[in-house]
Amino acid sequence: MAIVTIVGSSGTAIHVTVTGGKAQDLAEVYARQMSDAYARDDLTTVLLSPGVPTEHDAHGQIYGGFVTTGGSYSPTGTYDFLGAGAVNTASDPNVTLNERVTIDGSNVTPTGILSVLGGSTAGLTYEAGAGNGSFLAVSGDNFFNGGTRSASWTILTAEGNDTILATNGINTIDAGAGNNVITLQQGTNTVTSEGQDTITGAEGGSNTITLVAGKSVVSLGSGSLVNDNATIGSLITVGDNSTVQAGQGSTVIFSGANGTLSGAQNDTVSALGNLSVLYGSNQTISVSGSLQFIAGTGDTRISAAQSTLWGANDLSATVTAGSSALWTGNQLGSSSNELIDASSSQGTFDAWTGAGNQTVIGGQAADHFVFGTEYGGNTDASNATVTGGSGAANTFGVLAGHTAGDITITDFAAASGNKFFMYNYKPEDAEAAVKSLLATATVQGGNTAIMLDNNMKVTFMGVTDLNASNIIIS
């Protein structure tokens, strides 16, 4: 705890009690501004009396009101500065104000931006007026009441448990450490949360929230942006067309038709509509609508009615598809090691392997597997172990122009009607092309291997009777 002295005219001054380094820095900025005005002989200050309206005309000077005792104050007229602190005395330079102060600023009309400084250890309650201002509460538990005002405010608090009701104007809010309650209305709000805060935003407002400390509860309307920079998780609920960035261990709920999550780690995510998930790792994702999952990594669990998954290195994903899922092995142009397990899916599953080593497990519907796809100009070999599943018949194969690779199909004989295809080859004689392919077959250890063009080997485990009825070349 520190003491900052704010000078006034005619020898008056107040001590404000400061908790926290950032609050001290800002209080010292206030002090310098007042000191500079005093040095220019542009400053007039008065001591306000509790319960008595104080009206005046500033006559072109900077006019400040000092509060030095607890109670309720109702200044009226043109003020540029209102400050609450202990009266400076020569006998006790470290004296503090330890009583609650309430200031009704609804009748204050600043010439520019009103500065309000709360330095009582018991806190300050301030009711905003029609003018723009800055509110700096450097001590105690404080309450800023924006009411129904449309003015714009910069609101900063220290380490107390503060309550902030933002105005309907443009607000910049930095709530310091503590358990703060921040309510956002119809304005445009930029909030930095440094405590374990409860932040609520009304529908119709425009809100950008940055979480620093974590363990906060955030509930916002449509079009919100949350930068979750904390290393400890929070509970975050956002409305339609909102974005949540980063995060570690948070629970994120998208309650609208569309949303975006980017760069999260270890988050548990649910969406009532459609969701785009960009990058991130080790996530648990449940989506009622359509999911776009792009370049996520790590141990990931995905459940969605429909999903499109762009893989990345070291993704190990369990995919539950309600109606359909599409996975592409690697669209970033690097060689990926991935595990995709869709065995719990009731819907169809399409899988396209790319460069690298991939293990793919299909679901219970009719699934489609395409091997050796070239992404981002990467022609490295596609090495994949694929299990189609024992439900409906599946299709496995390549498109013309595929890369090299070593493909193993573990259960080609598990479902009646499984087919191996080679599309876009357009042979003059399809039967002859199939016979030529079967001529490359070798049977060893109860398995059959065939060699495709472009140096790709395909092994059918448990199959010794591969024949023309199993193969389509078109």
Side-chain angles (χ1 to χ4, degrees):
M1 188 168 65
I3 302 292
V4 175
T5 301
I6 311 296
V7 302
S9 59
S10 303
T12 60
I14 58 171
H15 292 314
V16 296
T17 305
V18 180
T19 55
K22 180 185 290 187
Q24 181 172 349
D25 291 342
L26 293 169
E28 288 174 348
V29 170
Y30 273 72
R32 286 195 298 272
Q33 291 174 340
M34 296 290 283
S35 179
D36 291 345
Y38 177 73
R40 296 192 307 265
D41 199 26
D42 289 338
L43 176 66
T44 300
T45 54
V46 295
L47 293 179
L48 303 181
S49 299
V52 179
T54 304
E55 188 172 3
H56 68 90
D57 185 347
H59 299 296
Q61 284 203 324
I62 296 173
Y63 207 94
F66 283 166
V67 171
T68 58
T69 60
S72 297
Y73 296 80
S74 301
T76 300
T78 304
Y79 284 85
D80 300 286
F81 173 86
L82 295 171
V87 65
N88 181 29
T89 63
S91 59
D92 188 357
N94 295 317
V95 66
T96 59
L97 174 58
N98 300 315
E99 299 172 316
R100 186 80 186 178
V101 174
T102 298
I103 299 177
D104 180 358
S106 59
N107 293 314
V108 172
T109 55
T111 56
I113 296 177
L114 173 66
S115 296
V116 180
L117 176 61
S120 170
T121 60
L124 169 65
T125 295
Y126 184 78
E127 181 175 344
N132 300 330
S134 65
F135 177 84
L136 174 59
V138 295
S139 184
D141 300 336
N142 303 279
F143 175 35
F144 177 89
N145 182 10
T148 60
R149 302 293 186 177
S150 296
S152 298
W153 280 79
T154 298
I155 303 164
L156 303 103
T157 63
E159 297 180 357
N161 299 323
D162 304 305
T163 300
I164 298 169
L165 174 61
T167 69
N168 291 311
I170 301 173
N171 300 290
T172 300
I173 300 169
D174 187 340
N179 299 315
N180 307 296
V181 177
I182 303 171
T183 303
L184 310 173
Q185 301 192 82
Q186 300 294 311
T188 299
N189 304 290
T190 302
V191 179
T192 300
S193 166
E194 299 186 47
Q196 298 176 18
D197 299 338
T198 299
I199 305 172
T200 304
E203 191 69 38
S206 177
N207 301 310
T208 299
I209 313 296
T210 299
L211 302 178
V212 177
K215 290 188 177 180
S216 292
V217 178
V218 181
S219 180
L220 304 172
S222 300
S224 299
L225 171 61
V226 178
N227 297 304
D228 187 1
N229 295 338
T231 57
I232 300 173
S234 295
L235 173 59
I236 303 168
T237 302
V238 291
D240 193 24
N241 291 316
S242 293
T243 298
V244 177
Q245 296 180 343
Q248 296 188 42
S250 289
T251 297
V252 184
I253 301 170
F254 292 87
S255 62
N258 296 285
T260 301
L261 177 73
S262 176
Q265 300 180 34
N266 300 302
D267 277 8
T268 299
V269 185
S270 62
L272 300 181
N274 305 321
L275 182 65
S276 295
V277 177
L278 313 176
Y279 307 102
S281 63
N282 302 316
Q283 302 169 85
T284 299
I285 302 168
S286 177
V287 178
S288 297
S290 296
L291 170 67
Q292 284 194 329
F293 180 86
I294 300 175
T297 64
D299 186 8
T300 301
R301 290 158 297 282
I302 294 171
S303 176
Q306 296 178 317
S307 55
T308 302
L309 317 173
W310 286 267
N313 285 339
D314 301 319
L315 173 64
S316 177
T318 300
V319 180
T320 301
S323 60
S324 65
L326 168 65
W327 166 77
T328 58
N330 196 341
Q331 293 224 353
L332 297 182
S334 59
S335 296
S336 63
N337 298 306
E338 297 182 55
L339 167 63
I340 306 297
D341 182 355
S343 58
S344 61
S345 293
Q346 299 291 326
T348 60
F349 177 55
D350 285 13
W352 296 61
T353 73
N357 303 308
Q358 292 140 21
T359 300
V360 186
I361 304 172
Q364 301 172 36
D367 299 329
H368 185 65
F369 302 89
V370 183
F371 308 126
T373 309
E374 179 182 330
Y375 295 116
N378 189 343
T379 60
D380 289 351
S382 177
N383 303 310
T385 300
V386 178
T387 302
S390 58
N394 305 300
T395 50
F396 309 81
V398 296
L399 304 181
H402 62 81
T403 66
D406 191 342
I407 308 299
T408 299
I409 302 172
T410 68
D411 65 343
F412 189 77
S416 176
N418 279 351
K419 299 289 185 182
F420 184 84
F421 64 85
M422 298 177 70
Y423 290 156
N424 295 335
Y425 280 76
K426 300 178 182 179
E428 292 183 5
D429 187 336
E431 284 188 30
V434 171
K435 288 181 181 179
S436 178
L437 178 63
L438 287 172
T440 69
T442 58
V443 179
Q444 185 176 5
N447 307 318
T448 298
I450 58 175
M451 287 300 301
L452 310 187
D453 59 324
N454 296 341
N455 198 30
M456 175 176 280
K457 177 184 177 182
V458 180
T459 301
F460 300 81
M461 293 185 66
V463 175
T464 58
D465 58 348
L466 190 68
N467 57 66
S469 66
N470 304 130
I471 299 173
I472 301 170
I473 300 179
S474 62

